[in-house]
Amino acid sequence: MRRLPNPWVAVPVLVAALSGGAVGYFVTDASCARGSCTLSASIVAAVVAVGAGVGIGVIAVLALKSLDEFRSHREREILVEESPKTLQPGPPRDRRDSLP
């Protein structure tokens, strides 16, 4: 069964987008004369915000997929370790006994 995506993943993406947009705007605005390139500063801010959001989004998705794979692998190991005990009660058999 597939789990629903966690809505809290969007929080770091939005924080990164807002931070990147602010940095892009203020760096561009500081490099121009006062009031001369507000439009270009806004465009740079939008581009940097999208880039930062996409970058952090990719990292968040990869980290969550890795964590999910780790959890499912760990659950499989636990099931594999427990199943022989429940299927074959008694003392462990020697592997040579099962050979033809």
Side-chain angles (χ1 to χ4, degrees), residues 2-76:
R2 192 172 172 109
R3 296 185 332 178
L4 294 175
N6 188 351
W8 287 102
V9 173
V11 173
V13 173
L14 292 174
V15 169
L18 291 174
S19 301
V23 168
Y25 177 82
F26 288 119
V27 166
T28 305
D29 192 47
S31 64
C32 296
R34 183 173 287 271
S36 65
C37 54
T38 306
L39 178 65
S40 62
S42 300
I43 292 171
V44 168
V47 170
V48 172
V50 168
V54 167
I56 295 297
V58 167
I59 291 170
V61 166
L62 290 175
L64 288 174
K65 282 188 176 191
S66 175
L67 183 62
D68 187 44
E69 184 178 337
F70 171 75
R71 286 180 181 166
S72 67
H73 182 67
R74 190 174 67 182
E75 288 171 1
R76 279 191 225 125

